[in-house]
């Protein structure tokens, strides 16, 4: 049975990375599956949605190719982008620098990944088993909560894409503002935007980047943003744990005036309000006619481990 499971995951990964499979429908067809079940299987097996995984691995390949002297235009087309500008923006968001400067920056072409799956030149994949160790035991509570959080947000964003625009922006819970300085959480659009943007802005503060733009808040745009920020968020927390840096402080210059925060309290803050907002989003989705699950970490863990309790 384990061999069959590994073979099936390999088939799913092959379908994701096939040069001719540019959409979720293409990938699912290559794996002889429906888009819904293909996305669910791959997300459970690899901890990353298929479109996000493909985008990240192709950006890693592009970074390696640029380091080998390939032009930005050639790398953009090879990575499946319809414009060089679009590729340049995605590359800069992922790597923190424009593609044109890659050749002058020796180092790894890998991006943070929740599963340890990376591009390995010239045409292979590499699985970093240390990076790919999510939620190993029930006792590893922080790791479990972090992975449950990002996967649960991903499922809610997927459900929201089936909700009408009117329901998506309807004020369902008037005067809801659990964090007054963060703005209202009265509609599904506001709640889901906060679930994504909170991680973006805290990650920027921790990594020392400029404050990100609030960006588009439609469900598809938020899902794409979540797909980019989730693996970076997980990798950042894993690095903090590896360095035993929970008691470190950051001076958050994005605040006015700048404030000092203990790293452990920041992670606890994000998880606390994310849990509240995920349940609030469920309430709003049900009112809009969708059928979200309970969001129970026990049920999530049992699904992820094949029923292991």
């Amino acid at each position: 049975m384990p061999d069959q499971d590994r073979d099936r995951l390999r088939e799913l990964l092959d379908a994701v990375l096939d040069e001719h499979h540019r959409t979720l429908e293409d990938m699912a067809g290559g794996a002889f599956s429906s888009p819904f079940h293909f996305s669910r299987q791959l997300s459970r097996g690899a901890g990353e949605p298929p479109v996000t995984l493909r985008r990240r691995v192709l950006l890693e390949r592009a970074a390696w190719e640029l380091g080998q002297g390939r032009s930005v235009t050639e790398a953009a087309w090879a990575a499946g982008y319809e414009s060089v500008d679009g590729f340049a923006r995605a590359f800069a968001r992922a790597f923190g620098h424009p593609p044109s400067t890659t050749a002058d920056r020796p180092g790894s072409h890998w991006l943070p990944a929740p599963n340890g799956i990376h591009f390995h030149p010239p045409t292979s994949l590499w699985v970093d088993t240390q990076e790919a160790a999510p939620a190993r035991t029930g006792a590893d509570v922080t790791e479990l909560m972090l992975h449950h959080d990002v996967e649960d947000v991903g499922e809610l964003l997927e459900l929201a894409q089936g909700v009408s625009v009117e329901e998506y922006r309807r004020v369902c819970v008037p005067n809801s503002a659990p964090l007054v300085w963060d703005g209202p959480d009265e509609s599904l659009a506001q709640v889901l935007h906060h679930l994504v943007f909170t991680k973006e802005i805290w990650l920027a503060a921790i990594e020392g980047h400029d404050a990100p733009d609030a960006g588009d808040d439609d469900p598809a745009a938020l899902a794409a943003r979540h797909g980019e920020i989730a693996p970076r968020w997980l990798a950042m927390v894993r690095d903090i744990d590896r360095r035993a840096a929970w008691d470190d402080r950051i001076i958050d210059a994005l605040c006015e005036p700048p404030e000092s925060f203990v790293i452990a309290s920041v992670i606890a803050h994000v998880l606390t309000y994310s849990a509240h907002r995920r349940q609030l989003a469920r309430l709003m989705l049900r009112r809009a006619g969708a059928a979200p699950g309970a969001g129970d970490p026990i049920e999530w863990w049992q699904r992820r481990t094949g029923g292991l309790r």
Side-chain angles (χ1 to χ4, degrees):
M1 181 67 72
D3 289 340
Q4 293 176 353
D5 288 343
R6 283 197 296 271
D7 288 344
R8 181 53 179 162
L9 180 57
R10 178 70 237 193
E11 291 174 5
L12 296 175
L13 290 172
D14 286 342
V16 168
L17 299 173
D18 188 292
E19 291 290 341
H20 302 291
H21 296 169
R22 304 227 166 175
T23 67
L24 178 59
E25 289 72 19
D26 293 339
M27 299 176 203
F32 304 101
S33 178
S34 71
F36 175 81
H37 286 99
F38 176 79
S39 182
R40 185 61 58 88
Q41 279 186 299
L42 199 285
S43 295
R44 288 179 183 173
E48 194 172 16
V51 174
T52 303
L53 174 61
R54 177 182 173 84
R55 183 190 303 116
R56 178 178 59 75
V57 171
L58 290 183
L59 282 173
E60 291 181 342
R61 186 181 71 178
W64 177 78
E65 290 173 341
L66 290 166
Q68 300 300 305
R70 196 169 197 184
S71 72
V72 173
T73 300
E74 290 173 328
W77 301 147
Y81 285 83
E82 296 180 356
S83 74
V84 175
D85 286 344
F87 168 73
R89 287 193 299 271
F91 190 97
R93 282 197 303 269
F95 287 96
H97 60 82
S100 57
T101 66
T102 300
D104 301 324
R105 296 172 178 265
S108 175
H109 54 266
W110 286 1
L111 292 167
N115 44 39
I117 298 171
H118 297 282
F119 170 74
H120 184 60
T123 59
S124 304
L125 288 178
W126 182 283
V127 180
D128 184 333
T129 56
Q130 292 289 65
E131 189 179 18
R136 293 177 297 279
T137 70
D140 195 353
V141 177
T142 302
E143 187 83 0
L144 186 150
M145 290 180 68
L146 286 161
H147 279 269
H148 172 249
D149 172 56
V150 297
E151 291 188 20
D152 198 36
V153 171
E155 291 184 9
L156 293 172
L157 288 167
E158 185 178 337
L159 278 173
Q161 294 181 58
V163 171
S164 70
V165 175
E166 180 183 4
E167 290 295 336
Y168 183 65
R169 301 198 178 278
R170 183 190 301 277
V171 172
C172 294
V173 186
N175 303 316
S176 174
L179 291 169
V180 176
W181 50 265
D182 207 16
D185 276 335
E186 300 177 327
S187 68
L188 183 59
Q190 291 170 338
V191 171
L192 293 179
H193 180 262
H194 280 138
L195 282 169
V196 176
F197 189 58
T198 295
K199 290 185 179 70
E200 290 177 330
I201 200 161
W202 276 114
L203 191 64
I206 291 169
E207 293 183 341
H209 299 316
D210 293 335
D213 294 331
D216 295 332
D217 68 349
D218 65 272
L222 287 176
R225 288 166 57 183
H226 176 70
E228 292 182 2
I229 200 65
R232 292 175 54 205
W233 175 259
L234 292 174
M236 178 273 295
V237 179
R238 189 177 290 118
D239 180 63
I240 289 170
D241 187 52
R242 178 184 60 80
R243 295 185 290 108
W246 294 105
D247 291 331
D248 287 2
R249 288 178 174 268
I250 60 166
I251 307 299
D252 186 2
L254 302 182
C255 294
E256 283 292 341
E259 292 187 50
S260 170
F261 300 99
V262 175
I263 290 289
S265 71
V266 170
I267 307 305
H269 165 90
V270 173
L271 287 174
T272 296
Y273 286 98
S274 180
H276 167 76
R277 282 167 166 155
R278 284 186 277 119
Q279 293 309 313
L280 191 56
R282 282 183 161 79
L283 171 67
M284 296 174 175
L285 282 166
R286 291 188 188 103
R287 290 183 177 179
D296 189 338
I298 294 177
E299 295 177 0
W300 169 81
W301 176 254
Q302 290 172 352
R303 291 196 308 269
R304 213 172 199 275
T305 59
L308 179 66
R309 290 171 170 77

